[in-house]
Amino acid sequence: MSLQIYNSLSRRKEPFEPIEPGKVRLYVCGVTVYDRSHTGHAMSALVFDMVRRYLEYRGYAVRHVVNFTDVDDKIIRRCAEAGISAFELADRYAREYLDDMARMGVQPATLYPRVSSEIPAIVAMIGELIEGGHAYRAPNGDVYFDARSFSGYGKLSGRSLDELESGEEPSEAKRHPADFALWKAARPGDPWWEAPWGRGRPGWHIECSAMARAHLGDRIDIHGGGNDLIFPHHENEIAQSESARGVAPFARYWMHNGMLQFPSGGSGVDKMSKSLGNVVPIGDFLDAHEADAFRLFVLSSHYRRPVTLTDEALAAAEKGLERLRGALAPARPAAGEGATAAEAELAAAAARARTDFLREMDDDFGTPAAIAALFELGKALNRARDAGAGVDALAAAQADLIELAGAIGFDLAGGARPAETDAGAADRATPLVELLLELRGMARAERQWAMADRIRDRMAELGIEVVDTSEGSTWRWA
Ligand SMILES: [Zn+2]
């Protein structure tokens, strides 16, 4: 059977057929970079990292675009409070997000466009929408999308315009409550750009339509995001993209992940929210937990369902990860009596695990059952080792386990990723440490003792110990 994907638009599973054979155009809504990213963002990124890795494992070349929203009310407000420029703040959190994703073991997207550098594409699309009678300039200078001009409005979320009309307060600027801002006229203190209809900045929804088109084309294969984005964001993306050039469908498959939840004080669950105090920055989370344990926790549920993050669930994932790694232990020194039978059984178990894994993954990325197949192979490995299976037979099945787990992003053989990242960072730091040591040497040669000592003390604070010997100075990580 071929890969089946649940399409939120048709509300059923469909066989996956990309526009261009062998290639996948994947767009996933990214983060608004006004604060540190949290475990909820990590979960969504991890789900689509799994999707992309599995598509690549299946032989597709995936072009993966994720946007950074760096022009936004929240950013502007924050910056006014902090007295720094909007782009400075956004850039800081965008960099931190990329670092967080690297620590999380999430592959970097092919491209991370930012609103601030995509204005021409955004202005062009709004121009087309005005031209085509899908957008209008309101008396206050804003430009709105005319929801009634698009007959398909509501097809993703299942909401009708009538229903939306009754639910909302009438506004002076908008002709219909479902209309939404494509362009917000410049207000004092806000960042602005020139446009034929007046200075201002883009609304939120238009950026994704414009960026997807600019970097992936008029039509894309998969559009992803959290299910909290279905309405209004994705509904509005469809309205914009399909109205601009009349090309439909904008996205062939809409994929939505369930939300990360937290146990509440009572018996139910809470959403993530600042006021409940359950918002944990990714960096802090990874200081306490391993990335692959979080991956195992997330992928142990189906991506469309909500998952509840509890200490018990995380501890179970940590144990599970240990079990999978334990299956990679080497063979016992002497082959036992039942070795041949055990090896045959292990080879059969490995073949079965592969079949099961692929079947479950092909069924709308069924990671819970696919992971169960990995655990079965792990058990078979341990049984075979106990029964005295030889090195080659164990290594072959272990390679299968590493390969299949790797197809959904686990790094079983490499061990803990954070440590690996630290080692990589340490490697890159070496030339800088050597440079500091050289400067200290020069200071000493010129008898500038205070300077030399200051450099040594500051290096010590950074965890680098300077060792002076008769042959000169060396260093080591403290
Ligand atoms: Zn978006």
Side-chain angles (χ1 to χ4, degrees), residues 27-30 67 204-205 207-209 223-224 229 233-234 237:
Y27 186 94
V28 183
C29 293
N67 65 308
W204 173 36
H205 312 296
E207 71 184 67
C208 288
S209 286
H223 193 309
L229 294 180
H233 185 53
H234 289 165
E237 275 191 48

Side-chain angles (χ1 to χ4, degrees), residues 103-433:
R103 285 184 73 190
M104 200 44 101
V106 168
Q107 290 196 90
T110 316
L111 218 59
Y112 290 98
R114 300 181 188 197
V115 180
S116 59
S117 41
E118 301 283 330
I119 300 293
I122 293 171
V123 167
M125 195 176 235
I126 297 173
E128 287 167 42
L129 291 170
I130 295 173
E131 190 96 334
H134 292 287
Y136 57 91
R137 194 166 179 275
N140 64 3
D142 293 352
V143 176
Y144 289 97
F145 185 89
D146 180 357
R148 284 173 298 186
S149 77
F150 177 61
S151 63
Y153 198 86
K155 65 182 173 182
L156 179 68
S157 61
R159 301 183 193 210
S160 72
L161 284 172
D162 291 345
E163 180 188 324
L164 291 165
E165 183 152 31
S166 61
E168 277 204 45
E169 295 284 307
S171 124
E172 278 174 27
K174 293 199 260 182
R175 294 176 188 166
H176 186 280
D179 293 357
F180 54 92
L182 299 170
W183 190 258
K184 297 180 177 178
R187 288 166 186 93
D190 288 5
W192 54 264
W193 288 267
E194 293 286 359
W197 46 86
R199 285 177 181 175
R201 61 189 166 95
W204 173 36
H205 312 296
I206 191 70
E207 71 184 67
C208 288
S209 286
M211 290 180 192
R213 188 170 87 176
H215 301 291
L216 294 170
D218 281 336
R219 295 183 60 206
I220 64 175
D221 294 301
I222 302 175
H223 193 309
N227 64 16
D228 57 336
L229 294 180
I230 293 175
F231 188 85
H233 185 53
H234 289 165
E235 194 69 68
N236 292 351
E237 275 191 48
I238 292 175
Q240 295 163 155
S241 294
E242 297 188 4
S243 297
R245 283 197 190 155
V247 182
F250 156 50
R252 177 82 181 75
Y253 304 86
W254 282 87
M255 291 182 67
H256 292 101
N257 64 278
M259 294 288 104
L260 188 65
Q261 301 176 330
F262 294 83
S264 73
S267 56
V269 290
D270 282 328
K271 285 185 174 177
M272 187 178 307
S273 88
K274 285 238 160 76
S275 59
L276 291 170
N278 56 19
V279 177
V280 183
I282 298 171
D284 295 355
F285 181 85
L286 287 178
D287 288 340
H289 303 280
E290 223 182 297
D292 270 359
F294 187 66
R295 183 177 289 264
L296 186 57
F297 158 73
V298 169
L299 299 185
S300 293
S301 295
H302 191 268
Y303 76 87
R304 285 193 277 128
R305 302 186 53 78
V307 284
T308 306
L309 185 58
T310 62
D311 291 341
E312 296 76 44
L314 260 181
E318 269 153 9
K319 269 204 186 121
L321 193 59
E322 279 314 305
R323 283 214 308 280
L324 286 176
R325 288 192 185 135
L328 300 182
R332 301 211 190 286
E337 291 223 331
T340 316
E343 289 176 3
E345 221 169 275
L346 178 58
R352 199 162 50 239
R354 180 175 294 270
T355 309
D356 291 350
F357 180 88
L358 295 176
R359 186 190 59 239
E360 299 301 339
M361 286 302 293
D362 277 353
D363 183 10
D364 192 31
F365 307 94
T367 52
I371 288 171
L374 299 182
F375 278 110
E376 283 305 316
L377 179 52
K379 273 191 233 162
L381 269 159
N382 293 337
R383 266 197 313 270
R385 186 185 309 101
D386 289 344
V391 177
D392 293 347
L394 278 180
Q398 286 169 339
D400 285 337
L401 180 59
I402 292 168
E403 176 200 315
L404 295 174
I408 50 176
F410 291 101
D411 183 19
L412 287 189
R417 260 202 207 87
E420 218 172 65
T421 311
D422 285 351
D427 272 357
R428 285 195 298 283
T430 299
L432 290 173
V433 177

Side-chain angles (χ1 to χ4, degrees), residues 9-73:
L9 189 59
S10 65
R11 295 168 185 79
R12 57 185 170 80
K13 287 181 196 170
E14 298 174 17
F16 180 61
E17 287 155 13
I19 298 162
E20 211 180 317
K23 293 190 179 165
V24 179
R25 299 170 167 93
L26 169 65
Y27 186 94
V28 183
C29 293
V31 292
T32 301
V33 277
Y34 75 104
D35 203 344
R36 302 181 72 189
S37 298
H38 53 66
T39 45
H41 298 126
M43 179 193 158
S44 184
L46 211 146
V47 162
F48 289 101
D49 180 65
M50 173 276 290
V51 167
R52 172 184 165 183
R53 283 175 187 271
Y54 187 67
L55 288 166
E56 287 176 339
Y57 179 75
R58 281 304 222 168
Y60 293 103
V62 181
R63 187 168 165 82
H64 179 198
V65 176
V66 176
N67 65 308
F68 278 134
T69 302
D70 67 347
V71 177
D72 169 88
D73 289 340

